[in-house]
């Protein structure tokens, strides 16, 4: 059984710390680092790991230990909300795993972070023990700076009842695969991107499971961006969200020039894209010759 | 190194022979049967094999032996042109293999079919030794019935200079992956499908590497079909061909309702589809989480 985890660290600048985080997950049999990106503006980094549950939990304990030792939130500033040195650790089921499997792995990690690193742990999303903690934004409210006051009334799910002095607390939770996907519009008008984002996102009347924000990417890209998270894939597949962005952009006299995928998309999303845009209704991954070969090899 | 082969047999009806063909390639380590489809109308069957060169050649010798023993072209009728019991054996390079690799495997098979089964072998496409044999249609001209006369003037590349009395001859050759792809039009008018096919296919002024025919699929599907072979993929990617079919269909007041993939498509085609229809310019297979995991696993 394979689980993916995408820990977020409140450090995006110090090369030594970034290197130490990377090194800490190396050489653990059964776990693989698929990616690691640091963002100096957000002062934040994101690692993508995949592996068998036991190996994955071990890797996450090790990398969290490095984060706790090296990252001091008392001296951290960034635009992205955060409550901890290792701020949030999402778990996503991969092939052969279910969401409850990912929940159970998240709880195993939470217990170890509390016991071995003295980190207060808040379970969120599918792992939440309290309904008001399902939403990660609610768990992060008040951020690191407001954590001590908040925890006095609102204790964590496991671990110390006070924040770790330098490393704060951590949000740990299982969720479905999320597709992070941006569309660039052929305009300099940020208000157009805002209108399109509003039309598409669930919270203002758009598509179920779609979060969308207008981003001012004029300085780096010369045009504006609609940034989306598809959080209930495959209920709302990517082609439906993109088609609606295209229709809405057209209403304002502009169009989608190109798109951008952040991180990875599941193979199921690729199947949907092929089915949708080709009208190839019965397409699945085993019509790809390399997948068919692999399936044959695995079964032999 | 992996090579695909798609041998075509002049038998699509006799269940015992079809079963014997299938069984003959089983239990050979290193070769996998991905598919086997028999068409009773065409009286023809198509097997898809993939494997390491040596195992693949062995499997093809065995299945060809069964075809030679059980299929008698003197009693065979079908709408599809054919010269032999095992009529044509294409080789396609898969991951890690090049077209010259596939040519070299095709020649190894040709030598064995000539020596062990007394089959005359014509090398075609990338394996052709004479330019006029590059085109499979030219190799099949006159079919089985005209083979003795034709071979008297035009000897095969290897093997006996006369046809095998019951099994004819065989065309063996390496080619690039081919995508066989059909588009159904929302019309009963076969003339429209013919006009669209003519606009798209290379030989009448359309796209490089695209073969296209109108097919009367009204009896089974209630609408007509444009049947395409993309023979020079990825020079002419599938989205370009489909987009042109859509534009041409619109000119005649109709549209593509759905499409159909025959056999398999390479992962490279899937990458193109995602890039093209999402405008996701830098997409490749390693942005699919399952592929990224597999790559990480393979490299560890």
């Amino acid at each position: 059984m394979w689980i993916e985890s995408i820990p977020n660290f409140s450090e995006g600048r110090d090369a030594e710390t970034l290197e130490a985080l990377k090194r800490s997950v190396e050489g653990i049999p059964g776990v693989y680092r698929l990616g690691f990106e640091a963002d100096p503006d957000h002062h934040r980094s994101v690692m993508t790991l995949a592996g068998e549950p036991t190996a994955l939990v071990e890797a996450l304990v090790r990398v969290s230990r490095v984060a706790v030792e090296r990252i001091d939130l008392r001296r951290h500033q960034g635009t992205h909300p955060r409550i901890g040195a290792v701020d949030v650790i999402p778990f996503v089921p991969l092939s052969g795993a279910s969401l409850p499997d990912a929940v159970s792995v998240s709880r195993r990690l939470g217990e170890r972070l509390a016991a071995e690193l003295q980190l207060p742990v808040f379970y969120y999303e599918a792992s939440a023990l309290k309904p008001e903690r399902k939403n990660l934004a609610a768990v992060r409210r008040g951020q690191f700076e407001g954590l001590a006051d908040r925890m006095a009334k609102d204790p964590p799910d496991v671990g110390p009842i006070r924040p770790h002095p330098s490393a704060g607390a951590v949000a740990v939770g299982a969720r479905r695969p999320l597709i992070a996907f941006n569309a660039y519009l052929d305009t300099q008008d940020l208000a157009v991107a805002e209108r399109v984002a509003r039309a598409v996102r669930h919270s203002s009347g758009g598509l179920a499971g779609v979060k969308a924000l207008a981003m001012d990417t004029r300085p780096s890209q010369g045009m504006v961006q609609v940034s989306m998270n598809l959080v209930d894939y495959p209920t709302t597949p990517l082609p439906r969200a993109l088609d609606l962005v295209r229709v809405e952009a057209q209403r304002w006299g502009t169009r989608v020039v190109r798109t951008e995928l952040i991180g990875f998309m599941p193979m199921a999303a690729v199947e949907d894209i092929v089915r949708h845009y080709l009208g190839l209704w019965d397409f699945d991954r085993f019509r790809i010759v390399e997948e068919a070969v692999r399936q044959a090899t695995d079964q032999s």
Side-chain angles (χ1 to χ4, degrees), chain A:
Chain A
M1 184 208 302
W2 280 73
I3 305 279
E4 185 187 8
S5 181
I6 312 103
N8 286 224
F9 307 97
S10 296
E11 175 60 61
R13 296 171 191 163
D14 180 58
E16 253 178 62
T17 296
L18 296 173
E19 196 51 38
L21 291 169
K22 277 170 75 170
R23 263 202 319 271
S24 70
V25 298
E26 281 164 11
I28 306 171
V31 66
Y32 303 93
R33 193 183 71 229
L34 305 184
F36 186 56
E37 287 104 48
D39 180 336
D41 296 328
H42 287 175
H43 202 350
R44 195 174 172 84
S45 53
V46 176
M47 185 179 280
T48 305
L49 296 171
E52 298 288 342
T54 304
L56 184 62
V57 167
E58 178 59 31
L60 287 162
V61 171
R62 291 195 200 177
V63 73
S64 299
R65 185 186 303 277
V66 171
V68 169
E69 284 167 1
R70 300 190 63 116
I71 301 173
D72 189 340
L73 266 280
R74 291 167 296 192
R75 291 176 294 158
H76 178 271
Q77 291 204 310
T79 54
H80 199 290
R82 77 281 179 271
I83 54 169
V86 48
D87 181 55
V88 53
I89 307 182
F91 288 90
V92 176
L94 292 181
S95 35
S98 66
L99 192 59
D101 292 332
V103 170
S104 123
V105 177
S106 75
R107 298 264 168 72
R108 282 164 61 186
L109 179 72
E111 296 290 344
R112 288 193 59 184
L113 294 181
E116 298 173 34
L117 303 182
Q118 288 73 55
L119 278 182
V121 174
F122 293 89
Y123 291 124
Y124 79 104
E125 279 260 357
S127 302
L129 296 169
K130 302 178 178 178
E132 67 274 18
R133 291 191 183 161
K134 282 207 174 297
N135 186 348
L136 179 59
V139 173
R140 280 209 197 106
R141 202 160 291 145
Q143 297 202 47
F144 173 76
E145 288 72 15
L147 201 56
D149 283 353
R150 177 249 181 116
M151 283 175 65
K153 299 165 286 193
D154 189 20
D157 294 304
V158 283
I161 57 165
R162 283 161 212 268
H164 186 287
S166 58
V170 57
V172 172
R175 59 165 172 79
R176 289 172 208 282
L178 169 158
I179 304 178
F181 187 72
N182 304 326
Y184 288 97
L185 305 184
D186 190 19
T187 175
Q188 297 269 345
D189 188 349
L190 189 60
V192 167
E194 275 159 6
R195 284 186 212 116
V196 172
R198 204 154 47 225
V200 171
R201 74 168 160 252
H202 186 224
S203 65
S204 52
L207 294 166
V210 175
K211 299 182 181 186
L213 281 175
M215 302 287 273
D216 186 1
T217 47
R218 286 173 295 190
S220 61
Q221 304 293 325
M223 49 191 165
V224 300
Q225 184 197 75
V226 178
S227 175
M228 283 171 283
N229 272 349
L230 309 194
V231 299
D232 193 9
Y233 186 89
T235 305
T236 310
L238 194 151
R240 191 181 304 158
L242 178 59
D243 285 355
L244 186 56
V245 168
R246 284 175 170 156
V247 166
E248 290 290 328
Q250 218 172 2
R251 290 185 58 221
W252 304 104
T254 186
R255 64 185 191 93
V256 174
V257 176
R258 66 179 183 91
T259 65
E260 191 174 71
L261 175 70
I262 308 300
F264 300 90
M265 66 167 84
M267 179 61 95
V270 173
E271 291 176 329
D272 265 342
I273 291 162
V274 173
R275 282 188 207 115
H276 183 94
Y277 288 108
L278 296 190
L280 187 57
W281 298 344
D282 65 351
F283 181 77
D284 70 33
R285 67 194 73 182
F286 301 112
R287 305 300 294 279
I288 304 171
V289 64
E290 289 89 344
E291 287 284 336
V293 167
R294 210 137 39 197
Q295 189 188 32
T297 316
D298 288 351
Q299 283 174 355
S300 71

